[in-house]
Amino acid sequence: MDQQVAIALGADPAAFEALISQLMSSGNELRSQAEVIFNLCRERHPDALGLKLAQVLHSSQSLEIRAMAAVLLRKQVTSSSGGESEESSSYIWSRLTPATQSSIKSLLLSAVQREETKSIAKKLCDTVSELASNLLPDDAWPELLPFMFQAVTSDSPRLQESALLIFSQLAQYIGDILLPHLGTLHSVFLNSLSHPMSPDVRIAALGASINFVQCLESTSEREQFQDLLPAMMLTLTEALNTGNEATAQEALELLIELAGTEPRFLRRQLADVVGSMLQIAEADRLEEGTRHLAVEFVITLAEARERAPGMMRRLPQFIGSLFAVLMKMLLDIEDEPAWHGAETEDEDAGETSNYSVGQECLDRLSIALGGNTIVPVASELLPQYLAAPEWQKRHAALITLAQIAEGCAKVMIKNLEQIVSMVLNSFRDPHPRVRWAAINAIGQLSTDLGPDLQVLYHQQVLPALASAMDDFQNPRVQAHAASAVLNFTENCTPDTLSPYLDGIVSKLLVLLQNGKQMVQEGALTALASVADSSQEHFQKYYDAVMPYLKAILMNATDKSNRMLRAKSMECISLVGMAVGKDKFRDDAKQVMEVLMSLQGSQLENDDPITSYMLQAWARLCKCLGQDFLPYMNVVMPPLLKSAQLKPDVTITSADTDEEIDDSDDDSIETITLGDKRIGIRTSVLEEKATACNMLCCYADELKEGFFPWIDQVAPTLVPLLKFYFHEEVRKASVSAMPELLRSAKLAVEKGLASGRDESYVKQLSDYIIPALVEALHKEPEVEICASMLDSLNECAELAGQLLSEGQVRSIVDELKHVITASSTRKRERSERTKAEDFDADEGDLLKEENEQEEEVFNQVGDCLGTLIKTFKASFLPFFEEISIYVTAMLGKDKTPEERRIAICIFDDVAEQCQETDT
């Protein structure tokens, strides 16, 4: 091996190139052998290896070898590659002699001057930028900036582009070091943005300008670059005018980044910029991808509320134009025969990417701008579309109504009668896809405008949905009507629903017996929701319904019926909960036998029954209470396995052509963070979240009966308090903490803890409470912070005197931190009120955000109250520490709720002091 290392690093450059070639080999054995030799070179001869890589990068005739050498050299000489530290053995720069370091720097700059191939030049610029970001702060590469300023003003467009690419990355890494050169950079960027010949130089200048604007902290520094904006926009229009849409799309992506991070930079020329984007969005001659990016730019600006509150609402004429563009995108839909057939599950048949983008953007726009801005615009266009002879327009109007409901709910509720009648009229439309869209709209409105819609319009909506279930010519319409019953009944009281139950249940039973599979699935979902919402009113239908549900559960064993069977399971468990243990007991035994046999069988990974079964077991437990305990040995092993699933994450480099393989699974979500592309399989996370929720349900329902499982469940759930991949997993874990402690405490108190005593409860609280405090310190979501405080308060109540002084200290310190962090967030929000475009709509949104903070203060107050009541006089030294924070909550700038909480805390202290004196 030593000989092979000597040959590779010897005088003949061909030997080293052969080694690099072998590192790229598709043959595992050859590549592995080359990796061993390369690693030995790095460990034993770092100087020789660094120089060899730099020389090959500078002089090799092979494109592939130069490209690979650029990547390898970057990994060897930059600490930021792959997140490795300077001490990492793969980072050799600090181990090189000054002479070698000097030679590599010189060879790199020479290679930048010589390299003609664009893809290699980019990799080379990456290497230079990352190395420079480590060296420039210590002034360890004095030649670099003069070289770059010379390169960017040279006659070579290729060299200008390279220098701009390096400037662009340096702005991200160490922008502050470039601040002394602001004036020079301004003129460099201005000249480069209007380069007469090279679109590559113009786009590189755009990227560098945007990165630089983002790294400037003061408004006055950003103002110096304000006059670049027309030239920045010109890079986009020139690319479009010359038919170079690939460059235009690259420019749009850069401008979208600017819109998201520094929207105020665009403010002075907002009308011109947004106007240009809407022209692009409306231009039919352009590629869809280009038009979608222009739309994304405007939506991103609308969503940049924290940085530029209210800014986009200053342009009502453009919002109208954008809304019209988005509605027009919804017309791009074909009446596919597949949609009408019931054989296919493809609900989206005939929909295009235009249609999908239009839908998503209507939703985002309405949430970003709110009903006061969007409803007037929609009110102009919707009647025109609904009255049109083309079915696509009528369909688009109803889809639009459904998409904007969430963001416009407050304003739409004021016009409820008009909206409901508009939708219900379309239930009679001659075209089935329009009828489907009307049903879809009612379903969405039931969710977003409930319970007002249910209370006021149940007499119109429920009969209309029941009637739509009779459309046997169009099974997809039938199925969707059943699904909309679910949405409507979720926000219904049993008394509201009661008069309609005879009609709805009999129709759903007809669909269960005679419908196509998708119709049966919809009917099962609707029945489950109707039972859940009507509770004891459902008793009279139980004997008619349950035989059908059990028949499906026992007979739908075919692979094509997996979802049908899963939904029957869901329906049975919800019906059981609705009617109660006494009515359900006999059938429950049969159902649980089927579930146990299913649990013991080998289910495929993608079988939906797994997730539905986890939830069904938990509902059966809620229904049967302590009678469920004999089944826990069957239920818990697979549940724990699901709760312990590891997130399925794939990480690739964002600048490679390598794609994350999601061809066979639409549950892959891809996000880009810095230079990494991360793919997360959400189906795994959803199963994990469901399992964690179910564990919490069992602990809550079974109380001391859950004791035998605590030793397995606690180590599973406690680490998940910091599971940042999925909020629902964290929420479930947070909710479970007091339930686990309560279960242990009750089991010990009732003598059911198999010989364990109070020391076990102490041990468990010592495990849970510090973990909760630590997770609270790092929790990014305000809503989950409030839940964690609630959970911490319950745990502290349960632990009582078992809490150690150190734990009380850590809780008090964390409460100080929570009050400070919450006050800081509120102060940052109040800063937004000073923005020049701040308006009443922004004020409403700000009020909602601050209400969440009040819940946090509420929970802080509860925690302090618990500690005061538990420790009485011995808590007073801690209270003296925190009283300054509580007193601050009485300030004039605080809300009435904060002041009320502070007074309650002081009252608690006074009360406990009185008791102590007595």
Side-chain angles (χ1 to χ4, degrees), residues 17-82:
E17 289 198 22
L19 177 64
I20 291 182
S21 182
Q22 286 161 11
L23 286 170
M24 297 186 283
S25 168
S26 56
N28 285 342
E29 195 176 330
L30 189 60
R31 191 176 64 253
S32 299
Q33 196 177 355
E35 283 168 359
V36 171
I37 296 167
F38 186 86
N39 290 336
L40 282 171
C41 293
R42 184 179 64 206
E43 286 160 23
R44 297 177 186 174
H45 309 285
D47 285 278
L49 176 66
L51 282 171
K52 279 284 183 189
L53 284 168
Q55 285 159 356
V56 165
L57 179 54
H58 183 267
S59 310
S60 174
Q61 297 302 302
S62 162
L63 297 182
E64 290 82 6
I65 297 288
R66 290 208 306 282
M68 186 64 175
V71 173
L72 290 170
L73 185 61
R74 191 182 103 226
K75 286 183 175 176
Q76 306 317 309
V77 300
T78 63
S79 62
S80 58
S81 172

Side-chain angles (χ1 to χ4, degrees), residues 611 614 642-649 665 667-669 671 678-693 720 723-730 732:
S611 171
L614 293 181
S642 292
Q644 289 160 1
L645 283 170
K646 295 277 184 283
D648 186 349
V649 178
D665 191 343
S667 75
I668 293 270
E669 264 185 26
I671 53 171
I678 301 170
I680 304 172
R681 197 176 299 276
T682 53
S683 55
V684 172
L685 296 181
E686 280 154 18
E687 184 183 336
K688 186 180 182 76
T690 300
C692 293
N693 268 311
L720 298 179
F723 188 81
Y724 299 112
F725 286 106
H726 203 279
E727 282 183 21
E728 290 305 315
V729 171
R730 296 207 302 287

Side-chain angles (χ1 to χ4, degrees), residues 418-695:
Q418 182 189 350
I419 289 165
V420 170
S421 88
M422 195 190 296
V423 178
L424 291 182
N425 284 340
S426 299
F427 270 53
R428 298 187 293 276
D429 194 278
H431 200 288
R433 288 200 82 148
V434 178
R435 298 200 295 278
W436 182 95
I439 292 163
N440 181 66
I442 277 292
Q444 195 59 53
L445 296 174
S446 298
T447 300
D448 294 325
L449 309 186
D452 299 62
L453 185 140
Q454 283 82 343
V455 170
L456 296 170
Y457 295 101
H458 56 86
Q459 289 171 309
Q460 289 94 319
V461 173
L462 281 169
L465 288 173
S467 177
M469 285 191 245
D470 292 335
D471 192 351
F472 284 92
Q473 297 304 306
N474 293 285
R476 214 175 283 281
V477 173
Q478 277 184 302
H480 214 51
S483 298
V485 168
L486 160 85
N487 299 103
F488 192 88
T489 54
E490 274 182 333
N491 264 325
C492 257
T493 62
D495 290 339
T496 301
L497 203 49
S498 178
Y500 305 98
L501 286 175
D502 284 358
I504 289 176
V505 172
S506 60
K507 292 238 173 169
L508 291 171
L509 282 176
V510 169
L511 298 189
L512 265 190
Q513 296 165 73
N514 304 327
K516 308 277 187 187
Q517 185 174 320
M518 74 167 77
V519 179
Q520 290 177 304
E521 287 175 13
L524 284 168
T525 306
L527 260 178
S529 179
V530 167
D532 192 34
S533 299
S534 56
Q535 291 298 304
E536 67 274 5
H537 290 283
F538 201 79
Q539 291 247 8
K540 66 184 273 199
Y541 308 103
Y542 181 86
D543 294 335
V545 169
M546 190 53 74
Y548 289 114
L549 300 182
K550 287 198 304 187
I552 294 172
L553 180 66
M554 290 167 184
N555 301 325
T557 53
D558 205 55
K559 184 170 179 176
S560 62
N561 291 331
R562 292 190 312 186
M563 182 54 85
L564 187 66
R565 194 176 201 188
K567 297 230 179 221
S568 73
M569 201 180 285
E570 173 183 64
C571 192
I572 288 169
S573 57
L574 280 163
V575 166
M577 276 179 68
V579 300
K581 177 161 73 173
D582 295 338
K583 183 81 176 165
F584 182 50
R585 184 180 276 112
D586 293 341
D587 289 314
K589 285 179 182 165
Q590 267 183 294
V591 169
M592 290 199 282
E593 279 168 21
V594 176
L595 294 193
M596 283 195 290
S597 71
L598 272 172
Q599 193 119 295
S601 63
Q602 282 296 310
L603 295 172
E604 292 177 27
N605 286 339
D606 63 343
D607 194 328
I609 283 178
T610 308
S611 171
Y612 278 81
M613 191 148 50
L614 293 181
Q615 296 175 65
W617 279 122
R619 289 194 202 102
L620 291 166
C621 173
K622 274 200 175 303
C623 177
L624 299 175
Q626 299 297 314
D627 292 355
F628 188 80
L629 280 171
Y631 298 98
M632 286 293 283
N633 285 326
V634 177
V635 169
M636 286 299 288
L639 188 57
L640 282 164
K641 186 180 171 189
S642 292
Q644 289 160 1
L645 283 170
K646 295 277 184 283
D648 186 349
V649 178
T650 314
I651 301 176
T652 59
S653 176
D655 58 3
T656 66
D657 299 326
E658 187 183 344
E659 286 295 326
I660 291 167
D661 178 26
D662 59 353
S663 53
D664 60 342
D665 191 343
D666 60 4
S667 75
I668 293 270
E669 264 185 26
T670 307
I671 53 171
T672 302
L673 286 178
D675 62 350
K676 297 282 181 279
R677 191 184 292 128
I678 301 170
I680 304 172
R681 197 176 299 276
T682 53
S683 55
V684 172
L685 296 181
E686 280 154 18
E687 184 183 336
K688 186 180 182 76
T690 300
C692 293
N693 268 311
M694 298 309 109
L695 287 170

Side-chain angles (χ1 to χ4, degrees), residues 258-272:
L258 179 66
T261 54
E262 288 300 334
R264 283 170 300 188
F265 184 74
L266 303 162
R267 187 182 180 279
R268 276 204 224 153
Q269 296 159 65
L270 191 63
D272 291 341

Side-chain angles (χ1 to χ4, degrees), residues 704-716:
E704 63 274 13
F706 193 72
F707 180 82
W709 304 99
I710 292 175
D711 285 349
Q712 283 172 271
V713 173
T716 299

